[in-house]
Amino acid sequence: DPDMPFVPSIPEDQFILVEEGDPAVIPCRTSDPEAQVTLVNSLDKPVYALYDTKQGFIGNFPAGSYTCKTMIQGVEFKSDEFLIYIIRATSQLPVEIEALKTVYKTGETIVVTCVVFDNEVVNLQWNYPGKVKEKGLIKLDDIKVPSQKLVYTLTIPEASVKDTGDYECTARHATKEVKENKKVVITVHDKGFVHLEPQFSPLEAVNLHEVKNFVVDVQ
């Protein structure tokens, strides 16, 4: 098609996530397999890489913006802009789940944290008793120093007995078929309680100047 030498790309193809050190494909494909195509960066400088008419340019590219160019009967055409993002990711998916405490009473705020290490982009899902009713707030902190970690915090305000159960986070790798899940069990009581076990009788006798200890076990 001389009026559209580059095959139209969908928005999902224009954002390219690449793990550190891995090759990427910039998918600017031409409708004419004989067309001469040039790849340029954001400074409009040529970038040299292998070109496959069925895939596009293949190579190890720095993060940034890239565009393809071609000439048709003396007229220059440009492809859509492609953005490459370099992400830190490991083949493993180290995940930890943390809860400040696992026993609460009604009205308190439950806080559970799921931490993903050494990976910048993951898909993370929570499963917990109040999820169906959309009870809970989720916050993400992306920490890069001193090491990379994603901290997902689930907060359940005004907890009730119905919030008792399993709190599970499942992390999925952005580019590989790898997933990891962790679980913690949270218990919510209707009210607080203290159980006392005195180690003495209701009535005790003490001699003059005698030192006597009164022991109580508290749970």
Side-chain angles (χ1 to χ4, degrees), residues 44-204:
D44 207 34
K45 292 185 177 180
V47 177
Y48 300 100
L50 174 68
Y51 184 70
D52 184 318
T53 56
K54 294 182 179 180
Q55 296 185 65
F57 283 98
I58 304 168
N60 291 83
F61 306 105
S65 168
Y66 295 87
T67 308
C68 301
K69 294 181 178 181
T70 189
M71 296 286 290
I72 303 292
Q73 297 177 354
V75 179
E76 184 180 79
F77 289 85
K78 290 184 178 181
S79 70
D80 294 321
E81 182 183 38
F82 297 92
L83 297 172
I84 289 184
Y85 295 91
I86 307 295
I87 60 172
R88 288 190 60 194
T90 58
S91 56
Q92 302 299 316
L93 202 54
V95 178
E96 289 183 4
I97 194 167
E98 301 169 354
L100 294 177
K101 58 182 184 175
T102 56
V103 178
Y104 292 83
K105 62 182 180 181
T106 297
E108 290 187 324
T109 299
I110 298 173
V111 179
V112 182
T113 301
C114 193
V115 185
V116 182
F117 297 91
D118 301 326
N119 285 268
E120 279 188 295
V121 181
V122 298
N123 297 314
L124 188 130
Q125 290 184 329
W126 286 97
N127 279 309
Y128 55 97
K131 184 177 180 179
V132 175
K133 294 185 178 180
E134 297 184 352
K135 184 178 182 181
L137 305 170
I138 298 172
K139 184 182 75 167
L140 169 62
D141 292 309
D142 186 354
I143 299 172
K144 299 187 182 299
V145 177
S147 60
Q148 172 65 45
K149 62 182 178 180
L150 298 172
V151 182
Y152 297 84
T153 304
L154 171 65
T155 304
I156 311 288
E158 296 292 325
S160 70
V161 176
K162 292 181 180 179
D163 292 310
T164 295
D166 294 343
Y167 285 70
E168 184 179 54
C169 66
T170 302
R172 287 180 171 80
H173 204 287
T175 59
K176 295 183 176 69
E177 291 298 320
V178 179
K179 75 173 184 176
E180 185 70 33
N181 67 312
K182 297 288 182 177
K183 181 177 73 173
V184 65
V185 179
I186 300 290
T187 304
V188 182
H189 294 285
D190 185 40
K191 57 185 178 181
F193 61 89
V194 176
H195 184 63
L196 302 177
E197 288 187 2
Q199 304 295 315
F200 50 87
S201 304
L203 179 62
E204 292 281 348

Side-chain angles (χ1 to χ4, degrees), residues 198-207 210 212-215:
Q199 304 295 315
F200 50 87
S201 304
L203 179 62
E204 292 281 348
V206 183
N207 294 324
E210 179 186 357
K212 192 161 188 177
N213 293 323
F214 295 87
V215 179

